[in-house]
Amino acid sequence: MHNSVMGKKKQILIRNMVCFLLQIISQMFKDMRDRFINKTINKATGRFVTMKPRTPTVAANFSESLLSLIETMSRCNPYFVRCVKPNNDKAAMTFERGVVLDQLRYTGMLETIRIRKLGFPIRVKFHNFIDR
């Protein structure tokens, strides 16, 4: 029981850290975009001069795409997909039971299955839990 609680707390901490990092990266790219894409500094006067619109570069397109991705990710609730390797040799159509079992045990999937079999198949939303 103690390990499963700690695992859940670690997952919550990791999720919070990911959200925090996404916010920082998003703000950093927004600041960079606002500073470097639309304006440049005139060396003689030191003042900002607006540049003429030009065809976006590959880097500008990439930056815009990355910002869009970060904004989309910050609006959603992330769910993580756990990939399980069927064998250590990466051979097609080969399934090693022990390798798969170890991965399922280390990722906490066996504990999750055990808990769900005991009758706790879903997570109750916090406000529903409080209303009980």
Side-chain angles (χ1 to χ4, degrees):
M1 177 81 177
H2 182 276
N3 287 336
S4 67
V5 171
M6 292 301 293
K8 288 179 184 178
K9 288 185 179 190
K10 284 181 185 178
Q11 286 179 348
I12 291 170
L13 178 64
I14 289 171
R15 188 177 328 134
N16 289 342
M17 287 173 29
V18 167
C19 289
F20 179 69
L21 286 173
L22 287 175
Q23 289 173 351
I24 290 173
I25 291 170
S26 175
Q27 189 60 45
M28 181 183 72
F29 275 103
K30 286 177 186 175
D31 292 345
M32 249 188 345
R33 179 188 62 193
D34 293 343
R35 230 178 317 151
F36 295 114
I37 292 179
N38 296 330
K39 298 178 180 180
T40 185
I41 296 178
N42 184 338
K43 291 183 182 178
T45 63
R47 296 184 181 182
F48 283 105
V49 177
T50 304
M51 295 173 59
K52 294 180 183 178
R54 48 186 171 157
T55 307
T57 63
V58 172
N61 286 337
F62 175 77
S63 177
E64 191 64 34
S65 175
L66 183 60
L67 286 173
S68 173
L69 174 64
I70 290 172
E71 287 173 13
T72 302
M73 289 177 68
S74 65
R75 284 190 307 252
C76 66
N77 295 324
Y79 287 91
F80 297 96
V81 175
R82 292 183 174 109
C83 297
V84 177
K85 293 191 308 184
N87 59 65
N88 288 330
D89 299 326
K90 299 182 184 177
M93 304 304 289
T94 304
F95 182 84
E96 294 178 16
R97 184 181 178 99
V99 172
V100 173
L101 188 61
D102 286 343
Q103 291 175 71
L104 293 175
R105 185 176 294 121
Y106 295 147
T107 60
M109 289 304 298
L110 294 180
E111 183 68 14
T112 302
I113 292 168
R114 186 185 69 76
I115 290 170
R116 290 189 176 183
K117 283 171 73 175
L118 290 173
F120 303 100
I122 59 169
R123 293 184 179 168
V124 178
K125 301 282 185 191
F126 182 74
H127 64 335
N128 292 342
F129 176 75
I130 294 297
D131 291 341
R132 284 182 175 184

